[in-house]
Every structure is written in structure tokens, then in C-alpha cells.
């Protein structure tokens, strides 16, 4: 299969290619030489399985995610639908800054609201993403009216506890605030949309988030 490298991260490489006449994304995970080979194979397979399961589960719930076409444990690969004409939320926000949009602009806050809503739906089905960042969300053209498409579920899990959901949101909050300056309003808009879209359980998660934040701050102070 012809493939071109898109990105190379710490965990693996992402290629774009053609597969049975579909434009696809191939995610290949590295083997970690410092890990025992059996453990390494096991961890890699668990990540690939977690990714395939969560992507499929989200899709069946009506949450936009790439379709899963194939998994190959020997090659450490997963083959996904390529979401063409897409941009990461990260790059979308960077582009908005270039356009001199302020971070409490309607367009930006409407995006925050969409993110809160989709995460409420995901969590109400007990799917924990595990790596919520603005690079792991895509928008398709026209971006302003796009749904939020979730990707990169290799660290995902299924958990019912409010604690796990709160930590998921905390990871996002930290990621947004450290990647994008002046996004306090963006983050609170995201959280209030999450609370509004979810049931009572979502309120418990947001309460829990406060505790997680306090723990996070203590950890920063005392190591
Ligand atoms: N299905 C897809 N369609 C279009 N672009 C994609 C798709 N999947 C990934 N990408 C692009 O490739 C980038 C990296 O993909 P992804 O986040 O899944 O891998 P990663 O961050 O390397 O994974 P890991 O967290 O396991 O290291 C994304 O930020 C996005 O720009
Ligand atoms: Mg990623």
C-alpha cells in the first residue's frame, strides 16, 4: 500500500494512504525496546483494541469518529477513515488568533459548547477518552458549522465512576489552558455545556472536577 507520513509522535507514526479505493489514515505504533517484548506486544495490542472499540462505540452512539476499516496486530497498525478537509481544533484556534478573533468571540465559544456537549454524550455512555487535547479533535469544512470529530482513542477505557470522567475533563482543561492563551472563558463554556447536556451524573462529574483541580494544585506545590 502506498503511504505518506503525516506525523511522527512518541507513540508511533501516522500515514495517509489508499486502501480499497478509500483514502485512509494508517496509525502504526512503535515497539518500545526498553520493554520486555511480551509486555510490549501486549500493551500495543491493548491500545489498538481500545482505539478500535471506542471509535466504533462512539460511532454507534452518533458521535462523529473515523470509521475503523482494519486492525493488524502483526504490523501494529489500525486503518481508519481519513477525515478529509479537516483541521484539528488546535490549528483552528491558532488560525482564529491569526484572524485577530478574541477567545471569548461567539464563534470560539460556540465551539467550546459543541465540545462540552459531545463529551457529555461520550461520558454518559461511560467512554473515557484518556487523552483529551485540542489535537485530538477535528473539524471539517465549513468549520464554523462542523460537528466535533473525536480521534486518538488509544488510551481510552470504559468506566462508570465520576472520578474517571472528571480526570478526563481535567486533562482537557490543562491541555487547553497550556496550549492556548486566554482560554479561561473557553474552558468554562465547555464545562457548563457539559453540565447542561448531561444528566445528574454530569453534575456530579463537574463537582468532582473541583476536587481533581485541588489535588492537581497540591501536587504542583508539593511534588
Ligand atoms: N482519521 C483521521 N482523519 C484525518 N486526520 C487524522 C485522522 N487521524 C489522525 N489524523 C491526524 O493525525 C494526527 C495524529 O493522529 P492521532 O492523534 O490519532 O495520533 P497520535 O497523537 O500520534 O497518537 P498517540 O496519542 O497514540 O501518540 C491528528 O492530530 C490529525 O491531525
Ligand atoms: Mg493525537
Amino acid at each position: 500500500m502506498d503511504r505518506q507520513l503525516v506525523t511522527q509522535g512518541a507513540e508511533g507514526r501516522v500515514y495517509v494512504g489508499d486502501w480499497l479505493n478509500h483514502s485512509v489514515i494508517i496509525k502504526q505504533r512503535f515497539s518500545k525496546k526498553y520493554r520486555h517484548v511480551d509486555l510490549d506486544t501486549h500493551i500495543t495490542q491493548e491500545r489498538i483494541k481500545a482505539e478500535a472499540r471506542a471509535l466504533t462505540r462512539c460511532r454507534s452512539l452518533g458521535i462523529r469518529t473515523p470509521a475503523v476499516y482494519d486492525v493488524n496486530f502483526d504490523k501494529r497498525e489500525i486503518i481508519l477513515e481519513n477525515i478529509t478537509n479537516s483541521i484539528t481544533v488546535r490549528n483552528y484556534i491558532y488560525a482564529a488568533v491569526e484572524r485577530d478573533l478574541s477567545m471569548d468571540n461567539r464563534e470560539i465559544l460556540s465551539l467550546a459548547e459543541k465540545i462540552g456537549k459531545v463529551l457529555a454524550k461520550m461520558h454518559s455512555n461511560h467512554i473515557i477518552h484518556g487523552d483529551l487535547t485540542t489535537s485530538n479533535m477535528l473539524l471539517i469544512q465549513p468549520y464554523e458549522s462542523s460537528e466535533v470529530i473525536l480521534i486518538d482513542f488509544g488510551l481510552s477505557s470504559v468506566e462508570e465512576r465520576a472520578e474517571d470522567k472528571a480526570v478526563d475533563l481535567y486533562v482537557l482543561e490543562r491541555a487547553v489552558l497550556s496550549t492556548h492563551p486566554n482560554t479561561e472563558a473557553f474552558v468554562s463554556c465547555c464545562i457548563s455545556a457539559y453540565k447542561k447536556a448531561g444528566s445528574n451524573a454530569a453534575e456530579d462529574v463537574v463537582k468532582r472536577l473541583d476536587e481533581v483541580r485541588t489535588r492537581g494544585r497540591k501536587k504542583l506545590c508539593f511534588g
Side-chain angles (χ1 to χ4, degrees):
M1 193 196 329
D2 249 9
R3 48 173 78 180
Q4 288 93 45
L5 189 65
V6 181
T7 63
Q8 167 154 347
E11 296 294 316
R13 295 192 185 97
V14 174
Y15 300 91
V16 63
D18 275 312
W19 184 81
L20 305 175
N21 279 328
H22 290 286
S23 175
V24 295
I25 289 283
I26 303 131
K27 278 185 76 169
Q28 184 179 49
R29 293 181 175 276
F30 295 137
S31 57
K32 296 276 167 78
K33 301 297 176 218
Y34 58 81
R35 281 198 297 242
H36 185 277
V37 57
D38 293 340
L39 177 64
D40 186 61
T41 305
H42 178 74
I43 291 173
T44 302
Q45 289 191 1
E46 289 307 309
R47 297 255 163 97
I48 294 174
K49 276 195 262 180
E51 179 140 47
R53 280 197 194 117
L55 286 168
T56 309
R57 195 177 272 228
C58 281
R59 252 174 107 77
S60 71
L61 298 166
I63 298 169
R64 274 291 301 266
T65 52
V68 178
Y69 293 144
D70 199 14
V71 293
N72 186 325
F73 290 133
D74 295 333
K75 293 191 189 156
R76 308 167 156 264
E77 286 179 357
I78 182 166
I79 301 184
L80 307 173
E81 169 193 7
N82 182 15
I83 311 289
T84 51
N85 290 318
S86 66
I87 187 175
T88 61
V89 165
R90 179 172 191 256
N91 287 338
Y92 176 79
I93 295 176
Y94 284 154
V97 172
E98 290 291 308
R99 280 191 287 147
D100 272 336
L101 276 195
S102 92
M103 283 298 114
D104 48 14
N105 177 280
R106 243 194 27 221
E107 189 181 312
I108 297 295
L109 294 185
S110 130
L111 170 61
E113 214 173 290
K114 285 190 224 170
I115 293 172
K117 270 190 199 159
V118 74
L119 297 182
K121 187 163 185 183
M122 187 184 82
H123 280 176
S124 72
N125 290 284
H126 312 307
I127 302 167
I128 309 298
H129 183 284
D131 189 19
L132 288 173
T133 65
T134 52
S135 306
N136 291 336
M137 300 174 185
L138 304 178
L139 299 172
I140 47 171
Q141 263 169 353
Y143 304 136
E144 290 69 32
S145 55
S146 171
E147 285 178 90
V148 174
I149 301 160
L150 299 176
I151 61 166
D152 204 359
F153 280 85
L155 294 174
S156 70
S157 56
V158 176
E159 310 284 354
E160 289 194 26
R161 299 185 315 153
E163 168 73 19
D164 298 289
K165 296 172 187 174
V167 169
D168 218 20
L169 293 183
Y170 183 64
V171 168
L172 176 67
E173 181 172 291
R174 296 312 309 163
V176 171
L177 293 171
S178 63
T179 317
H180 309 285
N182 309 316
T183 43
E184 289 75 13
F186 183 93
V187 168
S188 28
C189 188
C190 204
I191 305 293
S192 55
Y194 176 94
K195 202 160 135 184
K196 234 165 67 191
S199 50
N200 294 342
E203 274 182 43
D204 291 343
V205 173
V206 174
K207 267 187 222 147
R208 196 61 181 232
L209 176 59
D210 258 332
E211 294 173 37
V212 177
R213 283 186 189 125
T214 310
R215 283 201 321 252
R217 272 194 294 274
K218 281 192 187 139
K219 225 174 174 175
L220 277 179
C221 287
F222 306 116

